Amino acid sequence: MSTWGGQQRGQQGGKGQADEQPRRKRKSRKGDEKPLAAPAPPPPADSRAQQVVYVGCEGESTEPDYLNYLNERFGDGSRTGKQPFRIQPVYVKNGLTPSRVVADVQEKAQEDEAWALFDRDQHHDIPEALRLAAEKKTEVCFSHPSFDLWLLLHFQAFGGRRSGSSEDVVKALRQAEPAFQNFDKRNDKSVKGGRRKALEDREKKAVNHARSLVGQCEHGSCKANRSKCRPADPSDPPVSAEEWSARSGHAPDCPVLGRDPSTDVWRLLVRLGIVDDPAESYRQASWNSWNA
């Protein structure tokens, strides 16, 4: 942001400058006196400046389409009254493995905020992906069995182990909303047109459904109110992959591959201000109660 200011310059060209007569000061009158005022404070930093978030995607269609939907619907901040944002999806044709998702988004983001979005599916490098994410504090949106679960949660709750298979999730999504009745048929997993329209104004419902899955985790000690959505401070001490993955609210000793079903995509929406953070409200209420 630029600041405005200036100085009056009373200087003239060299010739005749020495012959000028000093001006006589006019005596002030009582009515001319003005009270002293504090100087105007400097203009504040522009809190409305657009924030840029890089999000690495495992898939080449569904996830980038959804992220672009968030950009178009919420990016300018007019619907939320929050800071504008722009998500920069990072993906490649034919998709990426989880560890490549993390590595690629870290490379693209450099010093900017980075998130990695990947699924359970049948991948074998998820522990490596979490280790890489923890090293550079790249936030993780892990979905078990797949990102399709996050779409389904916009319309209904869902539970029960899937063991890495998304077949039942897709079937439920097709039945839950007519716009998705042909989803994943003829390789059409896009999120455009009527499918985007169907998602509108259901973000809070999806967040609540996703958070409830944390509490239903078979581990027994996972609580969504322990989740963290704000970016970690890069100067904070390093943490293990287990501690890093616990930012979703799951316990550090809860096996990531055992979080079935689950999805952490809700944390990205809270981070961007699309949905208010229920965990923050819970912590504030607890603090108020403690100090009452």
Side-chain angles (χ1 to χ4, degrees):
M1 175 182 293
S2 61
T3 52
W4 293 89
Q7 296 178 341
Q8 287 188 330
R9 303 180 184 274
Q11 297 180 350
Q12 300 178 357
K15 184 176 180 181
Q17 185 173 355
D19 297 328
E20 284 189 0
Q21 298 296 321
R23 297 180 180 179
R24 297 180 61 186
K25 294 183 179 179
R26 181 174 68 86
K27 293 183 178 180
S28 62
R29 300 175 184 174
K30 185 175 182 180
D32 292 339
E33 294 179 359
K34 296 181 180 180
L36 295 175
D46 186 6
S47 61
R48 300 290 297 171
Q50 186 185 64
Q51 55 180 328
V52 179
V53 178
Y54 285 77
V55 180
C57 304
E58 174 189 332
E60 63 173 313
S61 175
T62 312
E63 296 94 326
D65 282 355
Y66 177 76
L67 296 176
N68 285 324
Y69 158 73
L70 295 182
N71 277 332
E72 294 173 14
R73 184 161 177 79
F74 301 103
D76 65 1
S78 61
R79 293 182 181 276
T80 61
K82 304 292 180 60
Q83 185 179 17
F85 65 81
R86 177 173 61 85
I87 302 171
Q88 182 62 52
V90 177
Y91 61 99
V92 300
K93 186 175 177 59
N94 298 324
L96 295 166
T97 63
S99 59
R100 279 287 309 280
V101 171
V102 176
D104 281 18
V105 77
Q106 289 174 344
E107 180 182 357
K108 295 290 186 182
Q110 296 296 317
E111 300 302 319
D112 287 323
E113 185 175 341
W115 290 65
L117 197 160
F118 54 85
D119 301 344
R120 170 62 182 100
D121 291 331
Q122 300 299 329
H123 294 300
H124 300 287
D125 65 335
I126 291 176
E128 173 67 7
L130 294 173
R131 184 188 66 79
L132 291 173
E135 283 181 358
K136 294 187 177 181
K137 296 183 171 58
T138 299
E139 298 288 353
V140 172
C141 288
F142 173 67
S143 296
H144 193 320
S146 66
F147 180 83
D148 305 336
L149 172 63
W150 170 246
L151 298 177
L152 174 61
L153 296 181
H154 285 70
F155 308 105
Q156 67 176 59
F158 191 77
R161 276 188 166 273
R162 305 297 143 186
S163 301
S165 173
S166 190
E167 183 177 344
D168 291 341
V169 175
V170 171
K171 181 178 179 180
L173 178 59
R174 291 171 180 167
Q175 296 173 346
E177 167 53 48
F180 285 88
Q181 63 182 353
N182 291 318
F183 185 78
D184 202 15
K185 293 182 179 180
R186 298 178 181 176
N187 295 320
D188 179 14
K189 297 196 69 174
S190 64
V191 182
K192 298 179 179 178
R195 292 175 184 174
R196 289 189 178 186
K197 189 69 176 177
L199 296 174
E200 291 181 2
D201 301 322
R202 294 177 177 271
E203 290 78 21
K204 186 174 181 180
K205 182 175 183 178
V207 168
N208 289 338
H209 284 152
R211 284 170 50 84
S212 71
L213 289 177
V214 180
Q216 296 169 26
C217 180
E218 292 183 358
H219 180 274
S221 298
C222 304
K223 299 183 183 300
N225 286 331
R226 290 203 298 252
S227 63
K228 297 178 182 178
C229 301
R230 296 178 180 177
D233 189 332
S235 64
D236 286 346
V239 298
S240 66
E242 292 75 19
E243 292 173 304
W244 189 246
S245 69
R247 290 174 62 80
S248 61
H250 286 274
D253 62 340
C254 175
V256 174
L257 301 186
R259 301 172 186 177
D260 182 10
S262 68
T263 178
D264 304 333
V265 180
W266 67 272
R267 295 176 55 240
L268 178 61
L269 273 71
V270 170
R271 164 66 186 98
L272 296 172
I274 296 171
V275 177
D276 290 334
D277 189 352
E280 286 290 331
S281 300
Y282 172 83
R283 284 190 282 266
Q284 185 62 49
S286 299
W287 174 262
N288 293 340
S289 175
W290 179 264
N291 290 275

